[in-house]
Amino acid sequence: HVQLVESGGGLVQAGGSLNLSCAATGKTNVLNCMGWFRQIPGKEREGVAAINIGGGSTVYADSVKGRFTISQGNAKNTVYLQMNSLKPEDTAMYYCAADTYGGSWPRERPEYALGLDWYNFWGQGTQVTVS
């Protein structure tokens, strides 16, 4: 099993920045991909960004390209989401997700790594509010 803990959410003005962190503990040696998702009440959870642990390949939702950056820490069991130029529509609960299924990074269709089904472990979420 893998446990995920997010941090770094908060209230920020439009145009501002936040840096979310996700720390993974447990069987982190089998981490394949990690991703960030967000959800607002009454809507489906949507993929924001994902990264191939160790390989470094990334994918982003169109709505955040050029503004958000996903990266991994030196220990590879921590993933960050640097969010710049935040907009009110970025307001949501942000969730970290981990994949230990062991499949390869979907090079031909990287957007698959933004799908809910790609992941088998989830954090509790951290709230981001942009005013």
Side-chain angles (χ1 to χ4, degrees):
H1 279 274
V2 172
Q3 295 79 40
L4 303 171
V5 178
E6 305 98 332
S7 61
L11 173 64
V12 64
Q13 290 188 338
S17 298
L18 282 174
N19 189 24
L20 305 184
S21 299
C22 174
T25 58
K27 289 197 171 183
T28 59
N29 58 309
V30 294
L31 283 174
N32 188 41
C33 298
M34 291 183 74
W36 286 97
F37 289 72
R38 64 187 182 187
Q39 187 173 24
I40 60 175
K43 291 210 167 181
E44 284 192 6
R45 193 170 295 189
E46 64 171 356
V48 174
I51 186 166
N52 174 216
I53 298 299
S57 298
T58 59
V59 62
Y60 296 91
D62 288 344
S63 58
V64 306
K65 277 180 185 174
R67 299 189 298 123
F68 291 11
T69 303
I70 189 170
S71 62
Q72 61 186 58
N74 290 334
K76 297 182 181 176
N77 63 335
T78 302
V79 171
Y80 304 97
L81 185 68
Q82 176 66 43
M83 305 187 295
N84 298 328
S85 302
L86 282 162
K87 305 175 182 180
E89 51 263 46
D90 294 318
T91 295
M93 183 72 79
Y94 282 71
Y95 296 90
C96 178
D99 148 45
T100 63
Y101 290 129
S104 57
W105 179 259
R107 291 182 187 175
E108 299 299 322
R109 299 292 298 270
E111 64 270 23
Y112 285 177
L114 295 179
L116 296 173
D117 292 344
W118 197 261
Y119 299 89
N120 51 336
F121 292 101
W122 295 85
Q124 295 298 307
T126 185
Q127 178 67 38
V128 171
T129 302
V130 185
S131 62

